[in-house]
Amino acid sequence: MQDLPKRFETYSEARRNGFLKIRDLKEQAGKHVVGVFCSYTPVELITAAGAVYVSLCGSSEDGIAEAEKYLPNNYCPLIKSSYGLAVSDSCPYFYFSDMIVAETTCDGKKKMYELMGRLKPTHVMALPHNPSLESSENLWLSEMYRLKEALESQFNVVITDEDLKAAIHQKNLERQAMVKLYEIGKLKPSPIRGYELNDIVSASSFIFTGEQRLALLEERRQQLMSDYEANYKGKASPPRILITGCPVNGVSDKVLKEIELQGANVVAFENCSGPRTQSDLVDETIDPYKALAQRYLGISCSVMSPNPKRLETLASMIEEYQIDGVVEVVLHCCHTFAAESFGVKEFVRDKLGIPILSITTDYSMGDSGQLATRIGAFIEMLQLNL
Ligand code: BJ8
């Protein structure tokens, strides 16, 4: 087992150190590595195949210029960054990946995966888009079996039901630990900045064993609880912000950090950095493949249509986290989140009566001044309302 880091590393530290860990896992422990891009990936199957998984989502401008040689300019920055880093051999995690597991989520990603298949063995799961249909669940169940076969054939292993059940159990424990960490944000005032919380969640994807992830998440949660009791309890809370929309790793400095620099606190995430992707467990009492199919089809990303669960989740999180304002982040050219923006604003502002700021942005810093002005005005308005 690798040495446990003494504390939770920052995202950039974890990303840098993770590269050495993954090299050792491959070269010394003989582990296979699977690159993944999305919360819909049933990672338990990868673990059950004896492999480790690593997120390959691009979160910086690096790679975008390279990607534009192959993909249209008007693609979302997450897709361009991910592909650009892969095709230019600039991402060590892509380099060490033996196989990519991806899904037909948005149009941009699924067409990008066709090109990625030229670089590495790429297994694309056919994700159905209407989660309420019985036929969707049947299709998604058959995709679980197809992934099992692909992993078995790629790595020359057999995935037993026992292996899979053990992987499901371990991942459920991690999800529960992650949700308990997110729920620190329910404390008022919260003892953690949203910028750091997002950093912890992102950094945890560069810890490659479930036991280590679990131990560090629990340790950080206990530190935060002690900090709350000693330094925060009974004090006034700054305006409490919920983030919704696209993944924010590539814009965290100019959005999350800026919100907190200007005096508010990001306490909740209704996106892929938050409990949306963690709170539902995989049912350990039924057939493991059926349980995986049901659980993963229940994720309320905007690639689903219709997607009523997102609004239900927003309503319950706004109440549970005592939210004063919502900031919606849409990455340029992300059609699914952009199209849901109208309904999200209507629901949050008109139905729930909560102010909402909608931001459309990309990974460049060119609009950071303009965003700072808009965020500042929004927070000032929230402060007046408190
Ligand atoms: S489950 S949010 S990780 S699809 S931002 S690439 S949707 S054009 S990242 Fe996502 Fe899975 Fe959904 Fe989460 Fe396309 Fe939009 Fe870009 Fe996106």
Side-chain angles (χ1 to χ4, degrees):
M1 197 195 232
Q2 302 153 50
D3 290 337
L4 199 63
K6 301 220 169 3
R7 62 176 173 80
F8 229 112
E9 297 165 306
T10 63
Y11 174 66
S12 42
E13 286 170 340
R15 201 170 190 288
R16 195 174 52 242
N17 298 338
F19 156 63
L20 301 173
K21 286 185 221 157
I22 214 153
R23 188 197 59 192
D24 291 349
L25 277 170
K26 256 190 100 110
E27 290 177 358
Q28 289 169 22
K31 284 273 184 188
H32 295 295
V33 177
V34 176
V36 300
F37 286 94
C38 181
S39 304
Y40 284 103
T41 313
V43 290
E44 292 88 341
L45 274 164
I46 297 171
T47 307
V52 295
Y53 54 89
V54 62
S55 169
L56 299 177
C57 283
S59 60
S60 74
E61 277 197 283
D62 299 346
I64 288 187
E66 187 64 23
E68 287 176 351
K69 294 180 187 164
Y70 305 85
L71 293 167
N73 291 359
N74 58 349
Y75 250 38
C76 111
L78 188 153
I79 302 173
K80 286 194 286 189
S81 168
S82 305
Y83 185 72
L85 292 171
V87 76
S88 59
D89 236 347
S90 316
C91 171
Y93 297 100
F94 186 83
Y95 173 82
F96 280 122
S97 294
D98 300 293
M99 176 186 186
I100 306 300
V101 173
E103 301 76 22
T104 54
T105 50
C106 60
D107 285 353
K109 261 184 174 169
K110 69 190 177 207
K111 298 309 286 184
M112 179 272 274
Y113 295 138
E114 291 178 14
L115 290 178
M116 192 165 268
R118 299 180 182 194
L119 309 173
K120 291 265 174 186
T122 300
H123 177 87
V124 182
M125 301 178 76
L127 177 70
H129 291 150
N130 184 340
S132 60
L133 298 177
E134 196 182 331
S135 53
S136 294
E137 196 181 312
N138 292 338
L139 169 59
W140 196 224
L141 175 60
S142 68
E143 286 298 286
M144 295 297 149
Y145 288 115
R146 204 168 65 85
L147 175 60
K148 169 188 189 284
E149 283 162 19
L151 289 163
E152 287 180 333
S153 125
Q154 181 72 33
F155 299 135
N156 199 20
V157 294
V158 174
I159 298 176
T160 66
D161 278 4
E162 285 62 42
D163 292 334
L164 184 54
K165 285 178 182 170
I168 286 173
H169 181 66
Q170 176 63 33
K171 189 68 192 170
N172 274 345
L173 293 177
E174 285 174 46
R175 287 194 180 101
Q176 287 166 309
M178 194 71 95
V179 168
K180 276 165 79 182
L181 182 69
Y182 292 132
E183 287 183 346
I184 292 281
K186 290 184 180 175
L187 297 170
K188 195 171 180 182
S190 167
I192 182 168
R193 290 179 302 129
Y195 183 83
E196 192 205 335
L197 188 54
N198 185 62
D199 213 52
I200 290 175
V201 173
S202 311
S204 70
S205 65
F206 295 104
I207 301 168
F208 299 108
T209 69
E211 294 80 5
Q212 290 188 346
R213 279 193 291 269
L214 201 56
L216 280 168
L217 289 170
E218 183 51 24
E219 186 184 305
R220 187 70 186 109
R221 190 187 73 82
Q222 283 175 10
Q223 289 165 355
L224 288 165
M225 280 308 294
S226 311
D227 199 19
Y228 172 74
E229 291 294 333
N231 301 314
Y232 289 84
K233 199 172 177 179
K235 298 204 172 138
S237 172
R240 297 164 64 80
I241 304 291
L242 175 144
I243 300 288
T244 187
C246 294
V248 289
N249 276 352
V251 297
S252 60
D253 278 356
K254 64 181 180 179
V255 179
L256 305 185
K257 195 180 259 183
E258 190 60 39
I259 289 171
E260 299 188 314
L261 276 174
Q262 301 225 29
N265 187 191
V266 174
V267 297
F269 293 87
E270 190 285 311
N271 67 1
C272 272
S273 300
R276 171 174 87 196
T277 55
Q278 305 288 342
S279 49
D280 291 342
L281 301 182
V282 179
D283 188 341
E284 296 185 44
T285 65
I286 62 174
D287 170 72
Y289 291 90
K290 194 172 169 56
L292 286 175
Q294 285 176 353
R295 189 267 169 200
Y296 280 94
L297 202 53
I299 294 173
S300 54
C301 172
S302 63
V303 296
M304 291 295 161
S305 174
N307 186 28
K309 193 172 167 192
R310 181 165 174 217
L311 299 186
E312 291 159 21
T313 309
L314 272 170
S316 59
M317 289 185 74
I318 284 171
E319 190 182 341
E320 288 165 20
Y321 287 79
Q322 302 180 64
I323 296 301
D324 300 306
V326 171
V327 174
E328 178 194 49
V329 179
V330 177
L331 294 177
H332 275 164
C333 305
C334 174
H335 299 312
T336 57
F337 277 103
E340 285 197 356
S341 180
F342 174 80
V344 165
K345 285 200 278 275
E346 182 183 57
F347 181 73
V348 169
R349 186 184 53 213
D350 304 340
K351 186 143 189 241
L352 303 180
I354 301 290
I356 178 165
L357 173 70
S358 193
I359 288 171
T360 300
T361 187
D362 61 13
Y363 287 179
S364 78
M365 289 305 276
D367 61 351
S368 53
Q370 185 212 56
L371 285 183
T373 306
R374 293 184 63 207
I375 288 169
F378 183 66
I379 291 169
E380 209 176 306
M381 184 264 296
L382 296 179
Q383 283 163 336
L384 290 174
N385 286 350
L386 281 185

